[in-house]
Amino acid sequence: MATGVWELAAAVWQETELLLWKPPAAWFSVNAFYTSAGLRNWYVNFEHPTRRTTYGFDTFDLTVDLVIDPDLTSWRWKDEDEYTHVRRLGIVTDTEHQAVDAARDQVLAMLAERSGPFADAAAWTAWRWNPAWPAPALPRSAKSREGVVPTGGSPRAHPSGRAAGRFGEGSRRLWLAGPWAALQSARG
């Protein structure tokens, strides 16, 4: 992470199915991880707002996370020590840190109020990946590039000059952007 160099590699998502809710301007995403037994946990990833690119969406993981039990009864912070370290190295700037703090408050309020994706959490436990859905894949031109995949012809850089991360190809992931309420009617 400190070098700012990213390499895109072909990989297949394994072990879980992931339903991801990401409002475009939010400094976090809410993820629901599923196994064959059902919803394993909720996971809030603190990250940059997404940016649309030629190949999909760019984001940048800011290391700190919140892990929440499926029934929303308890939660715990994850990777606080790593977050402190990346802050010390300047990888997460003061401006980004302020955005993460505000996002933490926003997520904890959503959790307490049972709003956003947590409004209908019990119903989301029944969600399952539809095997008829095609696995996401990057365009061939993106796969053939080495190093950082260009976005619009030039490398996407983090404001500090670091390259930005991006979602690669895999299977059994569903990226959901936009209002959570609108997604509820699309559930299968």
Side-chain angles (χ1 to χ4, degrees), residues 8-13 135-139 142-143 166-171 173:
L8 186 63
V12 175
W13 191 272
L138 288 171
K143 290 188 234 180
R166 75 180 62 246
F167 284 92
E169 72 179 294
S171 63
R173 293 185 297 177

Side-chain angles (χ1 to χ4, degrees), residues 12-45:
V12 175
W13 191 272
Q14 297 181 31
E15 298 180 24
T16 61
E17 295 173 0
L18 171 61
L19 180 63
L20 187 149
W21 178 71
K22 174 67 174 175
W27 283 78
F28 63 90
S29 63
V30 178
N31 306 266
F33 285 96
Y34 295 85
T35 66
S36 58
L39 180 63
R40 183 185 74 188
N41 62 280
W42 296 90
Y43 190 96
V44 180
N45 191 60

Side-chain angles (χ1 to χ4, degrees), residues 46 82-83 94 96 138-139 141 150 155 186:
F46 292 87
E82 185 179 349
Y83 184 70
D94 290 342
E96 291 168 322
L138 288 171
S141 59

Side-chain angles (χ1 to χ4, degrees), residues 18-24 29-30 57 124 127 133 173-180 183-184 186-187:
L18 171 61
L19 180 63
L20 187 149
W21 178 71
K22 174 67 174 175
S29 63
V30 178
F57 302 95
W124 282 106
W127 181 87
W133 293 338
R173 293 185 297 177
L174 185 58
W175 174 287
L176 302 174
W180 191 259
L183 275 12
Q184 292 181 352
R187 283 192 305 225

